[in-house]
Amino acid sequence: MTLVFDSWDDVVAFACTLPEVEMLSFYGTPCPKLNGKALASPGREPGSFAVMCKPDEKEILLETVPGTFWQTPHYEGWHALLVRFGSDDPERVANVIRRAWWDRAKKAQRQAFGVADDRADPRPASQMPAGVLDIWFGQIDADIAFVDCSRAGR
């Protein structure tokens, strides 16, 4: 499957390939959800969609890939960031959507997704040992894997 995120339909099509995702209302708009929690939404800005993410990961994405990930004052302080359609790195966008799925998944869902218990680490990315995110998603960009993981909590 060639990844492309040129439209909201592309985002929905990808998100719906993830286990147990269903389209349900989110602020009055059908959006992909897992366990009743949104993964992404069309957002309020033309040419972009919003994806849910943890604040530490949001900060890193905003700093390292401002051409793809951005925010307006409306999204400041919220656990989501904007993603421009047509990113030249669709795998990175896919990984952020996968991470949104992971963050909303129950333990059994994570296991069914193919991740063993010992890797189902509930700590935020900034507190995980180096390489844990690489194990989860196979290939994560060096900027995101950097997250100071090797020094966190030590």
Side-chain angles (χ1 to χ4, degrees):
M1 171 179 168
T2 301
L3 291 173
V4 175
F5 296 103
D6 290 339
S7 69
W8 175 242
D9 289 341
D10 293 337
V11 174
V12 168
F14 174 76
C16 287
T17 67
L18 298 172
E20 300 183 44
V21 169
E22 52 190 345
M23 294 297 289
L24 297 171
S25 180
F26 182 69
Y27 293 102
T29 303
C31 294
K33 288 186 169 184
L34 177 67
N35 301 323
K37 299 175 185 174
L39 306 179
S41 73
R44 300 168 45 112
E45 302 299 322
S48 297
F49 69 95
V51 65
M52 308 315 160
C53 67
K54 293 183 177 182
D56 58 340
E57 293 165 8
K58 176 179 179 175
E59 183 179 324
I60 291 163
L61 291 166
L62 290 171
E63 288 177 15
T64 59
V65 198
T68 297
F69 301 102
W70 66 294
Q71 70 179 347
T72 63
H74 175 78
Y75 292 92
E76 289 177 10
W78 194 42
H79 288 70
L81 76 158
L82 293 167
V83 182
R84 289 184 175 90
F85 291 124
S87 169
D88 61 356
D89 191 353
E91 187 62 37
R92 181 181 277 198
V93 174
N95 281 339
V96 173
I97 297 168
R98 287 181 189 113
R99 178 58 190 235
W101 180 93
W102 181 265
D103 290 342
R104 284 146 185 76
K106 296 175 183 174
K107 182 177 179 179
Q109 291 169 316
R110 291 176 179 173
Q111 290 173 330
F113 191 61
V115 178
D117 280 335
D118 61 333
R119 291 183 274 168
D121 196 325
R123 293 174 288 175
S126 62
Q127 296 176 4
M128 290 182 200
V132 170
L133 292 178
D134 294 328
I135 292 168
W136 284 347
F137 301 124
Q139 148 187 336
I140 301 256
D141 301 317
D143 328 346
I144 294 175
F146 173 69
V147 193
D148 286 329
C149 293
S150 60
R151 295 193 313 256
R154 298 195 196 320

